């Protein structure tokens, strides 16, 4: 229960004393989890910013321990919760840091998440060319991810990139992406994932492509 755990936060520094770096990371992670649940329950930005403060401390410890994949993932978490708190520029900086860590140490899953976050942000702010390019980079990184059996990351990028291409009217790119999406969804199903839902999404995208391909002439509204 997150409320019970947060009652101990005032004594967190005492809990951290004398612990190894790994144990301190775990304690900080647990308090961060409590704030995540609290934020979802209450909608409070204060909890989102508390997650960021705790992740900041984990980021430093993980760098010291040379756990660079975990460090990059923690940066992405911090970025997401800064966006929740409507601190967009700070959030983008964390995504950029995560992207650099992923690229420097060959963790393509981290690079994928960071590029996807930056790409979605660029689309939302009307920087469509930059956004699409970042999402293309995310798709390439997702195909090189460390865990080849985990196709959910790749499917997630397919969804974001396809949506971005619709908004920028790059219709020629959509159909081959849908076919790749369906293949990835089928592969996930064969590994025990949910093919029905992902196949349905791919079919929906393909129907939208067919419906809109001939009618999109001018740039539309804001990316949502």
């Amino acid at each position: 229960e997150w409320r019970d755990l947060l009652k101990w936060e005032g004594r967190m520094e005492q809990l951290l004393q004398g612990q190894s770096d790994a144990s301190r990371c775990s304690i900080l992670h647990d308090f961060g989890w409590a704030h995540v649940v609290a934020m979802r329950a209450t909608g409070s930005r204060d909890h989102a910013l508390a997650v960021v403060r705790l992740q900041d401390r984990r980021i430093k410890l993980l760098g010291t321990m040379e756990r660079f994949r975990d460090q990059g993932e923690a940066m992405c978490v911090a970025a997401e919760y800064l966006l929740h708190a409507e601190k967009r520029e700070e959030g983008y900086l964390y995504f950029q840091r995560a992207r650099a860590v992923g690229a420097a140490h060959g963790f393509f899953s981290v690079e994928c998440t960071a590029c996807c976050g930056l790409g979605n942000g660029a689309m939302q702010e009307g920087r469509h060319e930059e956004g699409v390019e970042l999402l293309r980079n995310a798709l390439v990184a997702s195909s090189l991810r460390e865990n080849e059996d985990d196709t959910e990351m790749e499917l997630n990028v397919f969804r974001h990139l396809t949506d971005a291409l619709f908004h920028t009217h790059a219709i020629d790119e959509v159909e081959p992406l849908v076919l790749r999406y369906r293949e990835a969804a089928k592969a996930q199903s064969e590994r025990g994932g949910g093919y029905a839902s992902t196949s349905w999404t791919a079919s929906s995208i393909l129907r939208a492509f067919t419906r809109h391909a001939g009618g999109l002439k001018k740039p539309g509204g804001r990316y949502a």
Side-chain angles (χ1 to χ4, degrees):
E1 172 60 47
W2 60 270
R3 291 183 181 86
D4 292 335
L5 183 54
L6 290 182
K7 289 176 183 176
W8 287 86
E9 192 169 23
R11 300 178 62 185
M12 184 178 71
E13 298 305 325
Q14 292 175 263
L15 294 172
L16 293 171
Q17 287 178 6
Q19 301 288 340
S20 66
D21 285 347
S23 294
R24 282 190 283 167
C25 269
S26 295
I27 292 168
L28 293 167
H29 177 275
D30 289 345
F31 279 106
W33 168 84
H35 279 290
V36 168
V37 179
M39 191 206 73
R40 291 173 180 168
T42 66
S44 170
R45 293 182 192 176
D46 291 340
H47 288 298
L49 293 173
V51 174
V52 176
R53 289 193 296 271
L54 292 163
Q55 289 297 335
D56 255 337
R57 296 181 68 172
R58 290 188 71 241
I59 287 165
K60 292 172 185 174
L61 287 168
L62 291 165
T64 299
M65 293 187 289
E66 299 186 352
R67 286 170 50 183
F68 297 115
R69 178 178 177 178
D70 292 336
Q71 185 187 44
E73 289 175 350
M75 290 173 181
C76 289
V77 171
E80 291 287 354
Y81 285 93
L82 282 164
L83 296 184
H84 279 299
E86 298 186 4
K87 293 182 176 291
R88 301 179 69 83
E89 294 305 317
E90 292 178 49
Y92 297 152
L93 287 174
Y94 274 83
F95 275 135
Q96 289 166 0
R97 289 173 62 192
R99 183 184 184 186
V101 168
H105 299 284
F107 293 117
F108 292 103
S109 59
V110 172
E111 191 172 357
C112 171
T113 301
C115 284
C116 198
L118 290 167
N120 287 332
M123 293 299 296
Q124 290 166 4
E125 294 183 354
R127 294 177 281 116
H128 293 157
E129 185 176 346
E130 178 186 351
V132 169
E133 188 59 31
L134 283 161
L135 290 169
R136 288 190 184 115
N137 289 344
L139 184 60
V140 172
S142 73
S143 68
L144 299 170
R145 63 195 178 279
E146 299 82 73
N147 183 0
E148 293 182 1
D149 291 337
D150 180 12
T151 56
E152 184 58 37
M153 176 175 288
E154 187 176 19
L155 291 170
N156 183 55
V157 179
F158 272 130
R159 288 189 286 268
H160 288 295
L161 178 55
T162 302
D163 196 15
L165 291 171
F166 271 127
H167 279 81
T168 57
H169 312 311
I171 301 300
D172 291 344
E173 287 190 56
V174 174
E175 187 171 21
L177 273 181
V178 172
L179 298 176
R180 287 179 61 188
Y181 184 104
R182 296 185 74 168
E183 287 302 312
K186 183 178 180 180
Q188 178 166 311
S189 174
E190 291 170 352
R191 296 187 184 104
Y195 176 59
S197 60
T198 50
S199 178
W200 178 86
T201 303
S203 298
S204 299
I205 293 170
L206 188 56
R207 285 196 298 273
F209 164 80
T210 304
R211 186 168 60 251
H212 293 295
L216 295 177
K217 302 293 185 182
K218 299 177 181 178
R222 220 175 139 76
Y223 180 80

